[in-house]
Amino acid sequence: MRTATEGVRAEGTLRFHTQRSVSNDPLLYVGILAAQGMPVDRPLDQWGEMFLPAKVQARVRELTVTDTTGQAVPLVVREDTLLAIGAFAVEPTRPDWSGRLFLLGALLGVVSLTGMVRGAAGMAGRVVATLWLLLSGIGGVILLFLWFGTAHVAS
């Protein structure tokens, strides 16, 4: 399979495929988007794309082998579904959440700015800013762990 698929141009990048694969889980989507680094934006070949089971299925369907008479025959003659799980849907394209994420960021920024007001009027802004800084710090510690404590080269 590797010989037949390595170096053959495929659709999208690792980021494209992971975004469309987790689009039904907003927290996972944003978390993975934040944790992925630049290496996931390189174009994939068909071999690299086969981290997705559907792509393995598609590639195996296309492969041919040579039989004893020297003829190329399909590797897969018949398919049967043993178990169908519909918990996660892989969308054909990645969702565009940039508008929603921008509005959320702008809202957090505006509310945080109200924290500069003295007294009780700025309490909500100070709480939001504190929670944001805490969340950002935890995210930074997680990224440091992914960089230095694991073999995740795409973080």
Side-chain angles (χ1 to χ4, degrees):
M1 286 178 57
R2 186 174 194 154
T3 305
T5 59
E6 198 169 40
V8 178
R9 179 91 173 144
E11 166 193 34
T13 63
L14 186 60
R15 185 182 307 274
F16 167 78
H17 286 301
T18 54
Q19 284 179 324
R20 70 188 190 92
S21 298
V22 297
S23 62
N24 60 340
D25 188 339
L27 288 177
L28 184 60
Y29 178 91
V30 172
I32 286 179
L33 183 63
Q36 290 178 329
M38 299 259 316
V40 299
D41 293 319
R42 288 188 212 123
L44 288 174
D45 61 3
Q46 287 183 352
W47 175 252
E49 190 181 53
M50 285 197 292
F51 76 96
L52 294 166
K55 295 298 181 176
V56 174
Q57 182 183 33
R59 297 295 86 78
V60 169
R61 282 179 179 158
E62 298 167 357
L63 288 177
T64 59
V65 293
T66 306
D67 67 5
T68 54
T69 64
Q71 279 190 308
V73 295
L75 178 63
V76 176
V77 177
R78 182 175 127 259
E79 291 183 38
D80 288 322
T81 302
L82 300 177
L83 177 65
I85 299 175
F88 290 99
V90 177
E91 302 299 329
T93 61
R94 67 181 179 187
D96 183 14
W97 290 4
S98 56
R100 286 183 242 169
L101 292 174
F102 174 78
L103 287 175
L104 179 62
L107 179 66
L108 284 172
V110 168
V111 172
S112 294
L113 283 174
T114 65
M116 294 183 351
V117 176
R118 293 184 187 263
M123 183 58 76
R126 288 190 291 277
V127 168
V128 168
T130 301
L131 291 174
W132 176 251
L133 290 172
L134 184 63
L135 180 66
S136 297
I138 290 170
V141 169
I142 291 170
L143 282 175
L144 282 172
F145 171 72
L146 289 173
W147 292 336
F148 299 114
T150 70
H152 287 90
V153 295
S155 298

